[in-house]
Amino acid sequence: MRISVLVMDGLFDSGLATVLDVLQMANELREELPHPPPRWELTRVSGRGGAVRTASGHVIEARAADDGPRPDLLIVPGAGPKQPAPLLDWVAAPEREPEREALRRARAEGIPLAAACTSTFLLAEAGVLDGLAATTSWWLAPAFRQAFPQVALTESHMLVHSPGVTTAGAAMAHLDLALALVRQASPALADLTARYLVVDDRPTQAGYAIPSHLARTDPTVSAFESWVRAHLDQPLRMAEAARAVGASERTLQRAVDRVLGVSPLRFAQTIRLEQAAHLLRTTDLPTETVARRVGYENASTLTTLLRKRLGATPGHLRNATAGA
């Protein structure tokens, strides 16, 4: 399989290295299988060709994206600024047009695309995510959602597969992305590679997201987040919450949905689960007590929500801390 890796100035060094290392490891391990898939042939390409400089100052030589044989896949590692405003300026800058055009051309030719972290913004800016589901770095989700409303964003997912496009979440999700690409060719080889690299399955980013950081992007949402934290052990009463933040219930609903893409109830649940996970990791409180402290009537409700939303159980959270 021929894979082109689109490199740009400001490239996230570990993102590129992770993708290359995982695929190289898979190449080395494939002969251990009775029916190995074809090798991956990797080529570094850029918008215009020539050298690019990574964020850490390393120089990478690349050929032009339209030079050479047609790839079977085009991967775009994270690149550019890590904060919303400068990142949006970066992906829309005239200097990025060669990369945007390379993505549009690949999409038009039916070449599958894969991107992680900040490069998901570049795909969205190029228009290749229009009408598709995608994920991105959890802390960039509010800016992504506002800038690209035509994309169905599901930032809680580590990976999202849409027709012809695979997107991955923040930074180290490059690892999940590369393993997913191996899995498409051979699930057995992906499992073997993951075992050699000591990588666990991580289907969600939800356990890493910081609700207060996301809420700060809007004053109404920020005020609601503060109110929820002050009333964690009480039932959520939307009318009372709206009065406390100086908004109507409808305005509050719209603000939370616009910024976070979820309902106020769902956001409140995220905050409660974040606090529950913190208490389970840092105290010896019984799960029943933790549940009541974050507004749930019993331990079974909390356990169900932790498993569904964070992919963890109270025991798992306690054991992870003990193991550290």
Side-chain angles (χ1 to χ4, degrees), residues 281-321:
R281 291 188 183 106
T282 60
T283 74
D284 294 325
L285 291 172
T287 303
E288 194 78 31
T289 302
V290 171
R292 288 195 297 270
R293 286 198 179 187
V294 297
Y296 296 115
E297 293 183 357
N298 53 62
S300 62
T301 300
L302 175 61
T303 299
T304 299
L305 288 170
L306 285 170
R307 184 182 293 112
K308 181 178 179 180
R309 294 287 303 279
L310 303 186
T313 64
H316 174 82
L317 293 168
R318 293 190 194 277
N319 292 337
T321 303

Side-chain angles (χ1 to χ4, degrees), residues 38-50:
R39 291 180 59 85
W40 285 270
E41 299 176 4
L42 300 169
T43 302
R44 297 162 186 79
V45 301
S46 64
R48 293 190 176 91

Side-chain angles (χ1 to χ4, degrees), residues 4-314:
S4 290
V5 182
L6 185 63
V7 297
M8 294 164 279
D9 287 330
L11 186 73
F12 187 44
D13 294 65
S14 63
L16 173 63
T18 295
V19 169
L20 297 179
D21 285 346
V22 169
L23 294 176
Q24 181 58 39
M25 176 68 81
N27 274 339
E28 294 177 9
L29 294 174
R30 52 186 289 280
E31 294 300 337
E32 296 191 19
L33 301 179
H35 303 288
R39 291 180 59 85
W40 285 270
E41 299 176 4
L42 300 169
T43 302
R44 297 162 186 79
V45 301
S46 64
R48 293 190 176 91
V52 302
R53 187 176 296 274
T54 71
S56 296
H58 297 102
V59 176
I60 298 174
E61 292 292 336
R63 72 186 189 195
D66 58 358
D67 180 25
R70 180 184 187 275
D72 299 303
L73 174 70
L74 179 62
I75 302 177
V76 194
K82 306 303 186 293
Q83 295 305 315
L87 176 58
L88 287 168
D89 290 341
W90 187 84
V91 298
E95 294 81 4
R96 299 280 77 75
E97 179 56 24
E99 287 82 15
R100 294 193 297 267
E101 179 56 29
L103 292 170
R104 288 190 288 262
R105 185 169 57 249
R107 182 67 171 161
E109 294 176 3
I111 298 171
L113 303 173
C117 197
T118 51
S119 65
T120 57
F121 276 66
L122 187 63
L123 267 64
E125 182 67 29
V128 301
L129 292 181
D130 290 359
L132 299 178
T135 189
T136 192
S137 304
W138 65 261
W139 74 89
L140 296 170
F144 189 106
R145 184 172 286 108
Q146 184 172 359
F148 309 112
Q150 66 276 26
V151 181
L153 188 68
T154 54
E155 71 272 19
S156 63
H157 293 186
M158 193 71 75
L159 287 170
V160 170
H161 299 283
S162 287
V165 183
T166 299
T167 50
M172 291 302 116
H174 286 87
L175 182 60
D176 305 83
L177 178 64
L179 284 171
L181 298 177
V182 176
R183 189 171 300 281
Q184 290 175 6
S186 170
L189 182 56
D191 291 342
L192 183 62
T193 303
R195 290 175 69 88
Y196 267 76
L197 294 174
V198 195
V199 179
D200 293 325
D201 184 40
R202 302 180 301 167
T204 177
Q205 295 187 90
Y208 303 91
I210 304 172
S212 58
H213 176 92
L214 299 174
R216 283 201 300 268
T217 58
D218 181 275
T220 299
V221 179
S222 181
F224 176 65
E225 186 251 353
S226 297
W227 185 89
V228 170
R229 290 188 184 280
H231 300 80
L232 272 182
D233 60 345
Q234 302 171 24
L236 178 62
R237 299 181 177 88
M238 285 302 303
E240 182 180 346
R243 285 195 300 271
V245 304
S248 67
E249 288 187 54
R250 187 174 181 82
T251 297
L252 177 58
Q253 291 269 2
R254 286 178 171 175
V256 175
D257 180 67
R258 183 183 67 253
V259 174
L260 305 175
V262 297
S263 68
L265 178 61
R266 178 84 169 190
F267 182 49
Q269 187 181 84
T270 298
I271 295 169
R272 285 174 167 167
L273 294 180
E274 176 201 55
Q275 180 62 16
H278 171 72
L279 291 173
L280 290 166
R281 291 188 183 106
T282 60
T283 74
D284 294 325
L285 291 172
T287 303
E288 194 78 31
T289 302
V290 171
R292 288 195 297 270
R293 286 198 179 187
V294 297
Y296 296 115
E297 293 183 357
N298 53 62
S300 62
T301 300
L302 175 61
T303 299
T304 299
L305 288 170
L306 285 170
R307 184 182 293 112
K308 181 178 179 180
R309 294 287 303 279
L310 303 186
T313 64

